[in-house]
Amino acid sequence: MGNSILLTADGNATLYPHSCSGRNQKLSVMGSMNGSKNDECVRLLGAWPSPFVLRTRIALNLKRVAYEYLEEEDTLNSESVLNYNPVHKQIPILIHGNKPIRESLNIVMYVDETWLSGPPILPSDPFDRAVARFWDVYIDEHCFTSINGVAVAKDEDERKAAIAKLGQCMALLEETFQECSKGRGFFGGENIGFIDIGFGSMLGPLKVLEKFTGFKFIHPENTPGLFHWADRFYAHEAVKPVMPDIEKLVEFARLKFNTSIFK
């Protein structure tokens, strides 16, 4: 049975000679269980480059939930992934006790509703909750697909079209930030909220594209709100320990995408 490494909020590590899964895991992260019904083992199946896995880790850290992180190096052939998500065969998968929860935004909502520790992730007002969900769906359907479109473009015209669409996404999210933040530090107000997690998880891939294209998607003049928000997001205690290293993401992109942009 493998050892667990528990990283606490202050960054200290403690080694435990057991794991709640009984398999060799890579890492377990910060927090403490709160409430008797939530003392069940919490495990997260993920892969370090995935922005969708990052969302889940940030949400768990915000709520200070102790969890076991299991790195899945080959998700397509992982027995655990196939067992817990036979429909989509994708990560992230949160396993609370013996119950699997799938899809990143769905997991973030589950975490927010299950653990009352830490700040709320979704607003309490029904309309504001609907607005937050709308923008996270927009981020996935338009911003992430544009990021991917730049990466997999077959020619320069296709790449320019994807870059233009991604620029439009950033302009619209700048307006959304100004409206939702109401002059405060995050989309969620004083603390990280649902939109912050949804969009913040895409900052790594955006920085990778900026490095290869030379185009600044988040710029202090064009998107000043997002520019300063990104610094605050990166520095947040729930984000900083789990945000992937940009240089590692760059090397990952070179290996994954066989297109001229990453040559």
Side-chain angles (χ1 to χ4, degrees):
M1 189 173 293
N3 291 325
S4 292
I5 301 173
L6 181 65
L7 298 180
T8 59
D10 58 7
N12 293 323
T14 305
L15 189 64
Y16 294 91
H18 67 278
S19 72
C20 57
S21 68
R23 56 174 276 197
N24 285 328
Q25 76 286 2
K26 304 298 182 183
L27 187 67
S28 298
V29 181
M30 68 164 65
S32 59
M33 295 299 184
N34 296 274
S36 58
K37 81 167 188 172
N38 295 327
D39 286 344
E40 297 174 287
C41 177
V42 180
R43 290 167 286 163
L44 175 63
L45 305 184
W48 71 266
S50 169
F52 304 104
V53 172
L54 179 61
R55 290 174 174 176
T56 306
R57 300 191 75 177
I58 293 171
L60 289 166
N61 288 351
L62 274 174
K63 293 295 186 173
R64 306 192 68 79
V65 178
Y67 67 100
E68 182 183 355
Y69 177 63
L70 303 171
E71 181 77 14
E72 296 291 340
E73 297 180 357
D74 184 6
T75 57
L76 293 177
N77 298 300
S78 167
E79 183 178 341
S80 297
V81 173
L82 295 176
N83 180 43
Y84 286 112
N85 192 359
V87 177
H88 295 300
K89 304 177 180 64
Q90 294 175 337
I91 52 171
I93 305 169
L94 184 73
I95 305 166
H96 186 194
N98 292 316
K99 298 175 292 186
I101 303 95
R102 312 164 186 96
E103 302 295 323
S104 64
L105 296 179
N106 190 42
I107 293 172
V108 172
M109 288 187 284
Y110 177 86
V111 169
D112 190 39
E113 293 169 359
T114 302
W115 287 277
L116 301 182
S117 54
I121 296 173
L122 279 129
S124 57
D125 180 78
F127 176 76
D128 291 339
R129 290 170 71 90
V131 169
R133 289 194 295 264
F134 170 86
W135 284 113
D136 268 16
V137 171
Y138 173 84
I139 288 163
D140 281 358
E141 292 184 350
H142 295 275
C143 301
F144 178 71
T145 54
S146 295
I147 291 172
N148 198 54
V150 176
V152 302
K154 297 176 182 178
D155 53 47
E156 191 61 25
D157 288 341
E158 195 171 306
R159 183 171 299 117
K160 285 181 179 179
I163 289 174
K165 184 177 179 181
L166 187 52
Q168 293 170 0
C169 289
M170 296 303 104
L172 190 52
L173 286 174
E174 171 71 16
E175 295 178 9
T176 303
F177 174 76
Q178 300 296 345
E179 181 178 344
C180 291
S181 67
K182 297 179 175 63
R184 292 170 293 180
F186 297 97
F187 284 90
E190 297 295 341
N191 211 333
I192 286 177
F194 199 56
I195 306 176
D196 297 281
I197 293 175
F199 182 43
S201 64
M202 302 295 166
L203 288 177
L206 274 174
K207 285 183 176 291
V208 172
L209 287 188
E210 288 181 343
K211 188 175 183 69
F212 283 106
T213 64
F215 187 92
K216 294 295 182 182
F217 296 100
I218 297 180
H219 192 278
E221 293 182 4
N222 298 332
T223 55
L226 293 182
F227 182 82
H228 296 292
W229 162 83
D231 287 341
R232 289 188 291 270
F233 184 83
Y234 264 102
H236 195 283
E237 65 175 2
V239 176
K240 194 173 182 179
V242 293
M243 182 66 78
D245 178 76
I246 298 302
E247 291 306 316
K248 286 181 64 177
L249 282 176
V250 166
E251 292 306 312
F252 174 80
R254 281 198 176 105
L255 293 172
K256 180 177 180 180
F257 299 105
N258 187 26
T259 56
S260 61
I261 186 176
F262 296 114
K263 298 299 185 184

